[in-house]
Amino acid sequence: MSNTKGSAFDLSLFKRLMKHAHRYKTTFYGVALAAILVSLFAVARPYMLKITVDDYITHKDYNGLLFFVVLMLVVLICGVISQLAFIYYANWLGQSIIKDIRIQLFRHMLQFKMKYYDNSSIGILVTRAVSDMQRIGEIFSQGLFMIVSDLLQMVVVATVMLITSWKLSLIVFSVLPVILYATRLFQKAMKIAFTDVRAQVANLNSFVQERISGMKIVQLYTREETEYEKFTEINQKHKKAWLKTVWYNSIFFPIAELASSVTIGLVVWYGGLRTIAGDEIELGSIFMFIEMSQMLFRPLRQIADKFNTLQMGMVAAHRVYGILDTESSIEDKGTVAAEDLQGNISFRDVSFGYLAGEEVLHDISFDVKSGQTIAIVGATGAGKSTIVNLLNRFYEINSGDILIDGTSIKEYTLSSLRSRIAVVLQDVFLFADTIYHNITLKNPEITEAQVHEAAKAIGIHDFIMSLPGGYQYNVKERGTMLSSGQRQLIAFLRAYVSNPDILVLDEATSSVDSHSEKLIQNATEKITEGRTSIVIAHRLATIKKADKILVMDSGEVVESGTHRELLKKDGGYYKNLYEVQFMAEEETL
């Protein structure tokens, strides 16, 4: 990806953007035609004014004057119609293109590895998908075509001026180099300024998004004042970035206005003297040159302003394409469709690290037979959740292999593999939608009757029906309207209705009331029945009932066996863990 900071305009990036306009080429050419018509009709008006003054007003030709006034009115109406078509379809084209790019961006982001999101700011990604997209749309709606229309108008104006009076034209043209030079400096300065603006906008969005999401932690630890001070600092940088653009504008536009006023004065002075002296310059020509000089200089000022819009759009496009050009997806080269899996799982010498050179799993090997339930226990950071992530191919392993039914998971197509594995995470995520849609995830193959039946089977139908609206109850963002235990029950049901061949549970019950815990325990027993299940166990009841227990420490399987077998190992890791962590729980059972 080319660096937009290195030049005032990135041509290769612009060509890439223009490819998106190809499917709308009819509208594109229509907007271009409208831009030409807008320019021609705009230039026609002052020229017709010249003719009106010189041929009809001066000679007191009332009939001719009436005809030309009507003709000017017709030209004005045609100009208005052209302007309307130009503005509407230029904006339509811009919105259509950003719709396509946004869809492409979101589809691309859906394929990213979890590692990409681990290292990325959600606020910045939201800025890329929303605010930056609008800036790209403005390239077409307010930048490109407007600039082309203005440039065309300037060429036509300059041509008419030269044909009418080369002497007055030289006066007008003598001021142009000053404005052109100032415009060039302005464009370069604004490009750098707007790059800084977009960076500060992204930082501000990221900060606000994170603090609002984590407001409970902020208030629990009375960090309001600290976060306020941080926000003030970031907001100040945001303000300074924008003020820099304001400063450049406040310098450029007065200079351009002064040059325009000086030009009008020179035209009136010289043209008036030549008219009084009876030279070839007529009074109508002076009127035309006054208006046309404005039509020549005004687009220059507007082009600079629209170039700002174009530059902001190009900066935004650079950032968006930076994400589109990021290769961070799991390789999906598998050809085997995972259908009706038996559920035999085998980890063979699997090593993995989230960061290069920092392994969290070291040569892990174990087998799970079809229909078995294995419990994984160990201290925090032992690598339990990592096993879950690798089974679903959220991350690529460094070495070794993972097999299901004797076939490497890399040989299965990614979508079919994940469709046969259901996961209930400790941190349950619910969308701001109804309970029903959070359960089915809008899968049309899952009916409401199936959801009700599944809910009754695992014993949570009554709990759902006790909520206002039952299955149509909106849980709001991240399921904040439900308790942690209730959210986990919804996640259990979501996994159960998908009818997976392999089930993975992180069945934590911290901060869960006794009633919800009992429901979770019953749900666990029901959904693990008859299918291969891997459970990151937090409750003694689940551990006891497991067919096999894997005990992990520092990324290694240090012990394996049943609950009774492991308790017989004097000085064993599991026995010590049981005595410290689970003994008190057993006494309460």
Side-chain angles (χ1 to χ4, degrees):
M1 193 72 196
S2 56
N3 189 351
T4 58
K5 292 184 180 181
S7 61
F9 189 79
D10 192 331
L11 185 60
S12 63
L13 182 64
F14 180 72
K15 289 180 178 178
R16 187 172 179 182
L17 271 173
M18 291 302 295
K19 291 180 180 178
H20 293 281
H22 183 71
R23 64 179 298 191
Y24 305 107
K25 59 182 179 181
T26 301
T27 304
F28 184 89
Y29 293 134
V31 172
L33 176 61
I36 294 172
L37 293 176
V38 166
S39 301
L40 293 177
F41 285 127
V43 175
R45 291 196 301 272
Y47 187 76
M48 293 177 72
L49 176 64
K50 171 191 179 306
I51 296 175
T52 302
V53 172
D54 291 341
D55 295 351
Y56 300 105
I57 294 178
T58 303
H59 295 93
K60 298 182 180 180
D61 184 350
Y62 300 111
N63 293 329
L65 176 62
L66 179 61
F67 171 76
F68 242 74
V69 168
V70 173
L71 186 59
M72 290 175 69
L73 180 61
V74 172
V75 171
L76 177 63
I77 293 173
C78 292
V80 169
I81 294 173
S82 300
Q83 187 82 10
L84 187 150
F86 173 70
I87 293 173
Y88 176 80
Y89 285 105
N91 278 274
W92 183 92
L93 181 64
Q95 291 301 316
S96 298
I97 289 173
I98 64 173
K99 178 204 69 175
D100 294 342
I101 299 176
R102 187 181 283 122
I103 290 173
Q104 182 183 353
L105 177 67
F106 189 70
R107 182 185 295 117
H108 190 64
M109 290 168 64
L110 287 173
Q111 309 303 319
F112 281 158
K113 301 175 183 177
M114 288 300 106
K115 185 176 181 180
Y116 179 87
Y117 294 105
D118 293 342
N119 299 325
S120 300
S121 165
I122 301 301
I124 289 177
L125 292 178
V126 171
T127 300
R128 301 292 174 264
V130 181
S131 300
D132 284 346
M133 285 298 176
Q134 284 303 126
R135 295 297 184 187
I136 293 174
E138 289 171 0
I139 290 177
F140 297 91
S141 62
Q142 300 179 33
L144 173 65
F145 290 113
M146 294 287 189
I147 291 174
V148 171
S149 177
D150 288 343
L151 287 174
L152 180 61
Q153 178 177 308
M154 291 171 62
V155 170
V156 176
V157 165
T159 303
V160 174
M161 280 181 167
L162 285 170
I163 294 173
T164 304
S165 172
W166 66 269
K167 294 179 180 179
L168 288 179
S169 298
L170 287 179
I171 292 175
V172 175
F173 295 163
S174 65
V175 184
L176 276 179
V178 176
I179 297 181
L180 287 173
Y181 180 70
T183 300
R184 181 63 176 170
L185 293 178
F186 179 67
Q187 291 169 352
K188 288 184 175 181
M190 291 300 282
K191 174 60 183 293
I192 298 173
F194 278 128
T195 300
D196 188 27
V197 165
R198 297 313 303 160
Q200 296 305 325
V201 167
N203 289 339
L204 186 62
N205 286 347
S206 177
F207 183 89
V208 172
Q209 188 271 336
E210 287 183 350
R211 269 55 185 185
I212 291 176
S213 298
M215 189 58 70
K216 183 181 290 185
I217 299 300
V218 172
Q219 294 184 357
L220 278 173
Y221 289 90
T222 63
R223 306 297 294 172
E224 294 93 337
E225 191 63 30
T226 301
E227 297 302 330
Y228 172 77
E229 291 174 0
K230 288 182 181 178
F231 176 79
T232 302
E233 181 182 346
I234 294 173
N235 200 33
Q236 182 67 19
K237 290 180 180 178
H238 178 266
K239 171 190 169 184
K240 286 183 178 179
W242 273 109
L243 283 179
K244 190 180 293 184
T245 69
V246 173
W247 170 246
Y248 292 145
N249 276 291
S250 64
I251 294 175
F252 173 77
F253 286 104
I255 291 175
E257 190 64 35
L258 177 63
S260 176
S261 299
V262 169
T263 303
I264 292 174
L266 290 174
V267 167
V268 172
W269 170 74
Y270 181 79
L273 288 177
R274 293 299 91 202
T275 301
I276 293 171
D279 206 345
E280 75 279 2
I281 298 178
E282 298 176 311
L283 185 62
S285 297
I286 296 177
F287 280 105
M288 188 192 77
F289 267 81
I290 290 174
E291 189 167 349
M292 280 197 170
S293 64
Q294 294 300 297
M295 294 177 65
L296 191 65
F297 292 150
R298 190 184 304 118
L300 271 178
R301 298 196 299 271
Q302 292 177 346
I303 284 173
D305 191 35
K306 289 161 188 172
F307 199 86
N308 295 343
T309 300
L310 185 63
Q311 293 286 45
M312 289 185 73
M314 294 296 288
V315 171
H318 183 271
R319 296 179 184 279
V320 169
Y321 281 125
I323 297 177
L324 284 171
D325 292 339
T326 300
E327 295 296 332
S328 184
S329 59
I330 298 290
E331 287 190 357
D332 189 9
K333 296 181 178 180
T335 57
V336 180
E339 297 177 351
D340 298 323
L341 298 177
Q342 297 298 311
N344 294 293
I345 302 171
S346 180
F347 274 61
R348 296 181 179 175
D349 301 320
V350 174
S351 294
F352 170 76
Y354 293 100
L355 300 175
E358 297 182 21
E359 286 190 347
V360 294
L361 293 183
H362 314 289
D363 296 323
I364 293 290
S365 296
F366 64 87
D367 294 300
V368 186
K369 295 180 180 179
S370 176
Q372 276 190 335
T373 295
I374 69 164
I376 305 178
V377 299
T380 301
K384 305 185 297 295
S385 297
T386 301
I387 289 178
V388 175
N389 291 332
L390 297 183
L391 185 63
N392 284 274
R393 290 198 70 196
F394 287 143
Y395 300 87
E396 295 284 22
I397 60 178
N398 296 352
S399 62
D401 202 359
I402 302 172
L403 295 87
I404 298 178
D405 293 349
T407 302
S408 173
I409 58 174
K410 292 182 180 180
E411 296 182 26
Y412 290 112
T413 60
L414 198 58
S415 60
S416 69
L417 173 69
R418 290 177 178 172
S419 70
R420 305 315 307 156
I421 303 174
V423 181
V424 178
L425 298 173
Q426 179 177 349
D427 183 18
V428 177
F429 188 95
L430 298 181
F431 295 96
D433 207 331
T434 64
I435 286 180
Y436 175 70
H437 284 150
N438 269 289
I439 293 168
T440 65
L441 298 179
K442 298 186 178 180
N443 184 345
E445 297 180 1
I446 302 176
T447 66
E448 190 165 355
Q450 288 176 312
V451 172
H452 288 196
E453 184 179 345
K456 291 175 182 177
I458 65 174
I460 66 172
H461 176 74
D462 292 340
F463 140 65
I464 295 175
M465 293 305 296
S466 69
L467 298 170
Y471 288 87
Q472 300 306 315
Y473 180 66
N474 194 309
V475 301
K476 305 301 181 183
E477 187 175 0
R478 298 186 67 90
T480 54
M481 301 304 291
L482 302 176
S483 68
S484 58
Q486 291 172 331
R487 289 197 296 271
Q488 194 168 51
L489 288 170
I490 299 301
F492 271 85
L493 183 54
R494 180 161 62 192
Y496 187 56
V497 296
S498 67
N499 193 28
D501 297 319
I502 298 172
L503 185 67
V504 181
L505 303 178
D506 188 343
E507 43 104 63
T509 56
S510 57
S511 303
V512 173
D513 60 89
S514 58
H515 177 67
S516 295
E517 183 172 357
K518 185 176 181 180
L519 289 176
I520 290 172
Q521 185 172 337
N522 292 336
T524 302
E525 293 175 2
K526 181 63 180 179
I527 66 176
T528 57
E529 185 179 334
R531 58 169 54 90
T532 304
S533 303
I534 298 177
V535 182
I536 299 176
H538 300 263
R539 287 192 304 269
L540 182 61
T542 303
I543 296 171
K544 281 185 172 182
K545 293 178 181 178
D547 297 302
K548 182 192 293 186
I549 300 170
L550 298 181
V551 184
M552 296 193 65
D553 182 38
S554 301
E556 297 179 347
V557 177
V558 293
E559 293 175 355
S560 67
T562 64
H563 174 68
R564 290 186 177 181
E565 290 172 347
L566 294 175
L567 285 181
K568 293 178 180 178
K569 296 183 177 181
D570 292 332
Y573 189 100
Y574 179 79
K575 185 174 182 179
N576 292 333
L577 181 67
Y578 168 77
E579 291 174 350
V580 172
Q581 184 173 340
F582 298 126
M583 185 72 76
E585 180 183 344
E586 186 173 47
E587 291 175 354
T588 62
L589 295 177

